[in-house]
Amino acid sequence: MPRTGSTSFQAVLTSLRPRLGATGILYPALAPPGGPEGQDVNHQPLGEALDGRRPAAERTESLARLGRILAETEADTVILSYEDFAVQKPGFAIPQVFHDLFRSRGFALEVAMVVKPPFEQLNSAYAHRAQLVLETRSFRDFARRHWRSGRLDYAGLIEPWRRAADGRVTAIPLRDARSEAPLLQRIVRDLGLEDRLGPLMSEETRRLVTNRSSGPLAVEAARRLRRLRVHRQFRGHSRHIGHVLDDAAWRRGLDPEPFRGDAPEMSARIEARCAASNDRFARALWGAPWASVVRDAPRRPPNELATRTIPPETEAQIAVLVAETTRHFGFREPPAWQRIPADLADAAAERLAHAVGYTRWRVP
């Protein structure tokens, strides 16, 4: 699932890529030729080609490229990694596409999925949207809109993959109640690759954590930048805005803890709604109840700033983050008479997207 350590796993596999061949493992480079540097850290280009976010010709080319690699490799284990595979709509039949392609080249499909408690997943989704300068709402308003999302139904999400993989599914909790081992070590162990990848991974590598989640000051600054509509002045992926914002906070020693939204009543509601799905998932894949395997995050109070009176010194810190990011990109603040109708149009577009299923490609 998104925001469950995938970036760290991908970073390790990318760094080890030159040494993997000797172990019989391949982490293939599949990005189209001539793309931006760094595209081969994960398999996002392949995922976007398969779900229609890229031209149809690129889908054909991507599958042909993967097919050639599978036909030519001497490796017995090929790893693809892209977190949005978990949440793409079933209509694209991506699990079956992989099943058929791998089988045609002599491979059997296996699937691994890392999960965490659904309320925590929704909290991460909000913080990530803020990092992408997509949110002006409070977390409570966001949670009220999305608490029924199919992206929190892990049993439903994994089922097409289970069928395509003939039941060969490995589920890994972000925090395991049965083990104190770090996530990357457990991923490698549970996939049965410890004997091959383990000797290549130092203790530091096993504990690697990259792509930190934004903290409360950066999230609040991002909400304010969204209100200033800076995303309309930026060419490129808006995640670059969030990264500059996060770096500005961390460089000043701010945001030592990740964002925690303020909506305790939604936590109970989501827990109740997802309980049956969580238990089906856990019993099918671990043979045990969800609560006996998945450890919740430590209980800490919300640190969201949108729902409380902000002290002057904190306001000053937020203002510094907004100002530094604005200077970095050369953003200009538009007059209010321009922002208001544009905000209304964005709100209408959000309501329409919600009514028709959010996106073309992702589970609503």
Side-chain angles (χ1 to χ4, degrees):
M1 288 292 290
R3 315 300 290 183
T4 59
S6 52
T7 303
S8 301
F9 185 52
Q10 292 156 0
V12 169
L13 291 175
T14 301
S15 68
L16 295 178
R17 196 177 253 146
R19 304 168 64 190
L20 292 179
T23 72
I25 296 173
L26 174 68
Y27 186 57
L30 294 173
E37 185 179 355
Q39 270 198 312
D40 275 320
V41 171
N42 60 27
H43 298 112
Q44 180 173 343
L46 173 64
E48 292 182 351
L50 293 179
D51 64 32
R53 281 179 285 166
R54 293 176 180 243
E58 194 167 320
R59 174 190 172 97
T60 302
E61 293 164 3
S62 296
L63 289 175
R65 190 178 304 117
L66 176 57
R68 287 193 299 271
I69 288 173
L70 294 177
E72 295 169 2
T73 185
E74 296 182 0
D76 60 60
T77 301
V78 178
I79 300 175
L80 303 183
S81 179
Y82 174 45
E83 53 271 33
D84 279 349
F85 283 142
V87 294
Q88 286 163 316
K89 287 185 176 180
F92 295 112
I94 294 171
Q96 192 63 40
V97 169
F98 281 143
H99 169 275
D100 295 346
L101 180 61
F102 274 84
R103 185 175 62 177
S104 72
R105 300 299 191 273
F107 288 86
L109 182 66
E110 301 186 18
V111 177
M113 186 177 185
V114 183
V115 295
K116 62 185 176 185
F119 181 73
E120 190 180 342
Q121 184 71 48
L122 196 65
N123 190 94
S124 294
Y126 175 84
H128 184 53
R129 282 180 58 84
Q131 187 184 53
L132 298 177
V133 198
L134 292 172
E135 279 298 335
T136 59
R137 295 170 293 187
S138 68
F139 174 69
R140 175 174 283 112
D141 289 340
F142 173 81
R144 285 172 175 168
R145 177 60 65 88
H146 295 281
W147 71 283
R148 294 184 181 89
S149 172
R151 284 170 249 169
L152 305 179
D153 176 11
Y154 302 147
L157 292 176
I158 199 62
E159 189 54 32
W161 291 97
R162 282 190 72 200
R163 291 195 301 268
D166 299 320
R168 290 184 293 271
V169 176
T170 298
I172 302 150
L174 183 68
R175 290 177 302 276
D176 196 326
R178 306 161 300 178
S179 172
E180 294 298 325
L183 175 62
L184 294 185
Q185 181 174 331
R186 288 188 285 109
I187 290 175
V188 170
R189 180 198 67 197
D190 292 355
L191 290 178
L193 298 175
E194 175 65 33
D195 59 332
R196 291 195 271 176
L197 287 180
L200 305 181
M201 298 172 63
S202 65
E203 279 302 312
E204 182 181 5
T205 300
R206 291 170 185 267
R207 298 182 180 278
L208 178 68
V209 176
T210 60
N211 198 19
R212 288 172 57 187
S213 294
S214 300
L217 274 79
V219 167
E220 181 60 23
R223 291 175 67 246
R224 298 184 185 192
L225 286 170
R226 175 72 185 195
R227 289 201 187 101
L228 296 177
R229 305 193 62 74
V230 301
H231 58 292
R232 295 296 186 188
Q233 303 175 38
F234 185 69
R235 293 183 178 179
H237 201 294
S238 59
R239 66 171 171 261
H240 297 302
I241 304 176
H243 289 166
V244 168
L245 195 53
D246 287 333
D247 289 344
W250 295 330
R251 196 168 58 250
R252 291 173 169 81
L254 306 175
D255 280 347
E257 294 185 355
F259 171 88
R260 297 188 294 274
D262 187 5
E265 76 286 359
M266 296 306 302
S267 175
R269 186 181 296 182
I270 291 170
E271 183 176 341
R273 178 176 174 80
C274 295
S277 172
N278 286 349
D279 219 42
R280 286 197 308 274
F281 180 92
R283 291 188 183 280
L285 299 175
W286 296 313
W290 173 272
S292 70
V293 178
V294 180
R295 188 167 72 238
D296 290 336
R299 294 282 183 180
R300 294 190 179 118
N303 57 17
E304 180 178 9
L305 298 172
T307 56
R308 65 184 68 183
T309 301
I310 302 176
E313 60 271 21
T314 305
E315 280 286 0
Q317 291 168 339
I318 296 168
V320 167
L321 299 182
V322 170
E324 179 169 328
T325 306
T326 298
R327 283 196 305 272
H328 179 92
F329 292 104
F331 293 140
R332 301 178 307 279
E333 180 177 348
W337 66 267
Q338 287 183 352
R339 298 202 308 267
I340 292 172
D343 288 343
L344 293 174
D346 280 354
E350 166 71 18
R351 287 194 295 272
L352 179 61
H354 182 270
V356 301
Y358 304 95
T359 68
R360 291 184 302 109
W361 64 272
R362 187 161 42 192
V363 170

